[in-house]
Amino acid sequence: AAGVIQSPRHLIKEKRETATLKCYPIPRHDTVYWYQQGPGQDPQFLISFYEKMQSDKGSIPDRFSAQQFSDYHSELNMSSLELGDSALYFCASSFVNTEAFFGQGTRLTVV
Amino acid sequence: DQQVKQNSPSLSVQEGRISILNCDYTNSMFDYFLWYKKYPAEGPTFLISISSIKDKNEDGRFTVFLNKSAKHLSLHIVPSQPGDSAVYFCAARGHGAGSYQLTFGKGTKLSVIP
């Protein structure tokens, strides 16, 4: 069965650079979520989209933005990267009000 | 303020025995609860969920119990197997439009000893 696909799996960036993470949800899922998990932390909700519109917003820094495109894939754009942005970034998708399925994550390292 | 709490960071259980993972929540607007299992460097894997209209949901070796009055849920794994060793996250979601985010607990690391 198709799962949530995230790319890239690993990314190394320098401070103040930008990064773009991509997420391809499970087909026919209409909701996409982004989570950030720092070392030893629980996943923190960043932002979600329902039918290509932002549906909920969590602890997403102003330096980050995200969108969901017409084909339902989503991108998380991160600018002015800081060392503290180093984390695992997970995307999840669901059919509204059902369980969310997670991708394998993108490990971002800011040096 | 942590709205979903998993007070035991770790748990060790002998193979074949029951594993009980606990979770408490504070937000009375939560009405859908999920358990995820996570291996290092992988995304969380959905295990089982329960709606607030139920008090028990069972799927194979996994059973989730919900005590709404106590705002407490637990995941029972029986019998426990070495492959169950992972970090287990409890998650909760509210109801209605704009409430799609999952709020996670900090996780409990389960070690099943052969």
Side-chain angles (χ1 to χ4, degrees):
Chain A
V4 177
I5 305 296
Q6 289 187 247
S7 68
R9 290 294 310 277
H10 302 273
L11 189 59
I12 300 175
K13 290 284 185 178
E14 294 188 356
K15 282 194 305 184
R16 293 179 288 278
E17 284 193 315
T18 61
T20 297
L21 310 186
K22 296 186 178 182
C23 170
Y24 297 86
I26 292 172
R28 288 187 289 280
H29 279 191
D30 52 19
T31 305
V32 166
Y33 315 77
W34 285 97
Y35 287 83
Q36 177 192 58
Q37 186 177 23
Q41 304 288 316
D42 50 306
Q44 293 292 317
F45 172 73
L46 292 178
I47 195 167
S48 64
F49 293 87
Y50 169 66
E51 284 292 343
K52 293 158 278 185
M53 294 188 65
Q54 182 182 309
S55 56
D56 215 344
K57 196 171 181 180
S59 51
I60 183 169
D62 292 340
R63 299 177 289 107
F64 293 8
S65 65
Q67 57 182 322
Q68 187 178 28
F69 294 86
S70 58
D71 63 352
Y72 290 90
H73 94 273
S74 178
E75 294 184 3
L76 178 66
N77 298 293
M78 311 157 73
S79 62
S80 304
L81 286 168
E82 301 173 357
L83 295 178
D85 296 329
S86 296
L88 267 171
Y89 290 83
F90 291 109
C91 172
S93 75
S94 72
F95 188 67
V96 64
N97 277 349
T98 63
E99 59 270 14
F101 292 87
F102 284 78
Q104 295 282 62
T106 294
R107 180 174 292 281
L108 172 67
T109 303
V110 182
V111 298
Chain B
D1 181 36
Q2 195 76 13
Q3 297 187 69
V4 177
K5 300 177 185 177
Q6 293 178 256
N7 292 319
S8 298
S10 62
L11 175 68
S12 289
V13 172
Q14 286 286 116
E15 180 179 4
R17 300 289 185 99
I18 184 170
S19 296
I20 300 176
L21 298 104
N22 293 303
C23 178
D24 297 289
Y25 62 97
T26 58
N27 189 338
S28 57
M29 297 301 291
F30 289 147
D31 68 350
Y32 189 62
F33 304 90
L34 309 92
W35 283 94
Y36 285 85
K37 175 180 176 180
K38 187 180 183 302
Y39 295 113
E42 292 187 11
T45 302
F46 169 74
L47 269 180
I48 192 168
S49 63
I50 188 167
S51 164
S52 60
I53 62 173
K54 290 186 166 185
D55 55 17
K56 177 182 174 181
N57 189 25
E58 194 171 351
D59 184 3
R61 297 186 297 114
F62 302 93
T63 303
V64 56
F65 295 92
L66 175 63
N67 183 333
K68 202 175 172 186
S69 61
K71 293 191 176 69
H72 175 85
L73 63 154
S74 61
L75 174 68
H76 293 211
I77 306 172
V78 56
S80 302
Q81 299 173 355
D84 296 329
S85 298
V87 177
Y88 288 78
F89 287 97
C90 171
R93 187 168 65 200
H95 177 74
S99 302
Y100 304 129
Q101 65 164 297
L102 293 172
T103 301
F104 283 85
K106 291 194 175 295
T108 296
K109 184 176 182 179
L110 174 66
S111 300
V112 180
I113 304 160

